Amino acid sequence: MYQDDFLNLKLQERLEQNALRVLEYRQLEIDFCSNDYLGIARQHVNHIHAQAKIGSGGSRLLSGNYPEVEALEKAIATFHKTEAALIFNSGYDANVGLLSAVPQKGDTIIYDFLCHASLRDGIKLSPADAFAFLHNDLNDLERRLKHAKGNTFVVVESVYSMDGDIAPLHEILSVCRSFNAHLIVDEAHATGVLGERGEGLVQSFGLEDLVFARVHTFGKACGCHGAVVVGSNILKSFLVNFARSFIYSTSLPPVSIAAISFSYQTFPEMREERKQLNKLIHHFQQAQFPFQQLPSVTPIQVVIIEGNNRVKAVANYLQSHQLDVRPILWPTVPKGKERLRIVFHSYNQLKEVDLLIQLLQEIGAKMSLPKV
């Protein structure tokens, strides 16, 4: 066996902090954890597997391009009311490819402090200067923009994955336009959920012509895998030439493209499912707990319970009652902001949410948690 004990030092630190990540499979009865907001991932579409090849054969620029993926990109571009779309293998690949390729040396990237790790990693790979602004803080955004140089890119999410709140896009766009900055919006947690047809926050506001680039991922409400960057024909051509995560990856196989196509045919018509989601969200937001609950009108609901030990204890209590609720620990979130990240789905029932509320109230009373 290879002697790699030197890796244990940092693993031991995580263990002592009660923050060691491990892979687990828990088959709990009630799902309050997955990002399958509309239940599409639960559907069995056996005919897709019978009809589609399981491999693409290479990268898109070599042997991995084929009619089905090009047709899907055109359909997605039409749905999102834009000129072009380029499919990537994951949301991580899309964000890293977009942000590492487009901003150049001498340019400036200004990003929301709570942006996802994939956005941050793409920014780190860019030669542009980069600065964070306080979460959803328009004054701090404007302060940063006043000192920006070159082409300036502002990066936000429409729905933030750890807080469940929404970016004030109208106001952010107004500030961006005042400084001639290009806005990039990650719509990962809005796709399929926000808008009359699940088109995302930007489109639901009619702002698609004012946004430089949008990233829609397929691993949340779409129930499959992959992602797409939508924007102009020029942007697509640029990414095909310079986005390394696109150029040097074997393309998604036809079986995956068939699944994405099925999802895009399905989720726009799931109005009743979105209505059920909103009903559950409103009901949960009305509940009273002995600890802090963040305001959110999205499926991501957050209860703050300070400390890795305490939040894990609450999660274990809920899991013992067959509720699949997971704790989010430091260092994933800042110390003192450890939390339960509760996710609602169209297939959750009101009685299940009531049970969740009841158990949270019970464990809160037992732990004598002070109300924040």
Side-chain angles (χ1 to χ4, degrees):
M1 183 66 70
Y2 193 86
Q3 297 301 310
D4 54 4
D5 293 348
F6 62 92
L7 299 175
N8 274 327
L9 180 61
K10 291 190 72 66
L11 288 173
Q12 185 61 33
E13 289 178 5
R14 283 287 173 89
L15 186 63
E16 292 170 357
Q17 295 159 352
N18 199 11
L20 185 69
R21 298 183 178 104
V22 294
L23 296 174
E24 296 178 295
Y25 175 71
R26 298 182 183 179
Q27 195 167 8
L28 300 176
E29 185 176 342
I30 301 173
D31 179 12
F32 286 126
C33 175
S34 78
N35 289 326
D36 184 24
Y37 302 128
L38 301 176
I40 294 178
R42 293 184 162 208
Q43 300 188 31
H44 298 279
V45 193
N46 294 325
H47 69 277
I48 286 178
H49 300 277
Q51 294 175 353
K53 296 178 182 178
I54 62 170
S56 65
S59 69
R60 290 280 298 277
L61 288 168
L62 295 177
S63 58
N65 200 34
Y66 47 94
E68 292 86 351
V69 68
E70 292 198 337
L72 179 59
E73 286 176 339
K74 290 178 182 176
I76 289 175
T78 298
F79 177 79
H80 287 300
K81 296 183 178 180
T82 190
E83 284 187 349
L86 185 66
I87 289 176
F88 285 75
N89 287 13
S90 70
Y92 191 96
D93 286 336
N95 282 334
V96 167
L98 173 66
L99 286 162
S100 64
V102 174
Q104 303 295 303
K105 187 174 183 180
D107 292 342
T108 305
I109 304 171
I110 300 173
Y111 62 97
D112 190 289
F113 180 74
L114 292 188
C115 274
H116 190 265
S118 59
L119 295 165
R120 287 172 171 261
D121 286 356
I123 291 167
K124 287 178 182 177
L125 291 171
S126 168
D129 294 327
F131 306 93
F133 69 94
L134 298 175
H135 178 54
N136 281 347
D137 190 318
L138 299 171
N139 291 329
D140 200 42
L141 171 59
E142 186 169 345
R143 179 180 68 86
R144 289 294 193 185
L145 283 167
K146 287 178 179 177
H147 302 285
K149 298 177 181 178
N151 288 316
T152 303
F153 302 87
V154 173
V155 183
V156 302
E157 298 179 38
S158 53
V159 176
Y160 286 87
S161 61
M162 284 299 153
D163 282 35
D165 58 342
I166 291 175
L169 282 185
H170 283 289
E171 293 84 354
I172 288 173
L173 258 173
S174 178
V175 174
C176 287
R177 296 182 77 185
S178 297
F179 290 88
N180 294 317
H182 309 288
L183 181 61
I184 296 172
V185 183
D186 183 337
E187 294 260 34
H189 292 275
T191 309
V193 176
L194 298 185
E196 179 64 22
R197 304 181 70 227
E199 63 270 22
L201 191 64
V202 171
Q203 230 172 307
S204 71
F205 287 158
L207 302 174
E208 58 271 12
D209 291 337
L210 303 177
V211 173
F212 170 71
R214 288 171 277 160
V215 179
H216 292 272
T217 64
F218 309 141
K220 278 73 178 178
C222 291
C224 42
H225 190 72
V228 67
V229 176
V230 299
S232 69
N233 288 320
I234 295 174
L235 174 62
K236 180 173 180 176
S237 179
F238 189 93
L239 293 175
V240 167
N241 280 274
F242 298 105
R244 295 169 69 86
S245 60
F246 174 85
I247 297 167
Y248 299 108
S249 289
T250 297
S251 66
L252 286 176
V255 66
S256 294
I257 296 303
I260 298 164
S261 180
F262 170 81
S263 179
Y264 261 81
Q265 292 169 36
T266 302
F267 77 72
E269 306 307 320
M270 300 180 80
R271 293 179 176 86
E272 288 302 314
E273 285 81 357
R274 284 185 282 273
K275 184 177 179 181
Q276 169 71 358
L277 264 177
N278 290 330
K279 177 181 177 182
L280 299 179
I281 292 164
H282 178 76
H283 184 68
F284 187 75
Q285 281 287 314
Q286 301 307 305
Q288 298 294 316
F289 303 112
F291 29 67
Q292 183 183 11
Q293 178 185 14
L294 299 187
S296 171
V297 296
T298 75
I300 301 168
Q301 299 292 305
V302 176
V303 173
I304 302 293
I305 302 173
E306 184 177 347
N308 283 356
N309 293 337
R310 291 166 68 131
V311 72
K312 288 177 78 171
V314 176
N316 289 337
Y317 182 76
L318 297 175
Q319 291 164 11
S320 72
H321 290 80
Q322 291 301 300
L323 273 63
D324 194 354
V325 175
R326 306 293 176 93
I328 306 297
L329 311 176
W330 175 85
T332 301
V333 292
K335 270 192 176 181
K337 297 295 183 180
E338 296 83 2
R339 64 197 59 195
L340 299 177
R341 183 180 182 272
I342 299 161
V343 183
F344 291 150
H345 316 86
S346 59
Y347 50 81
N348 289 136
Q349 302 298 312
L350 193 61
K351 64 181 181 181
E352 296 172 343
V353 177
D354 281 334
L355 176 60
L356 171 64
I357 292 170
Q358 175 191 332
L359 293 173
L360 283 170
Q361 291 170 338
E362 287 178 3
I363 188 64
K366 289 178 182 178
M367 296 177 72
S368 298
L369 290 170
K371 185 162 184 174
V372 179

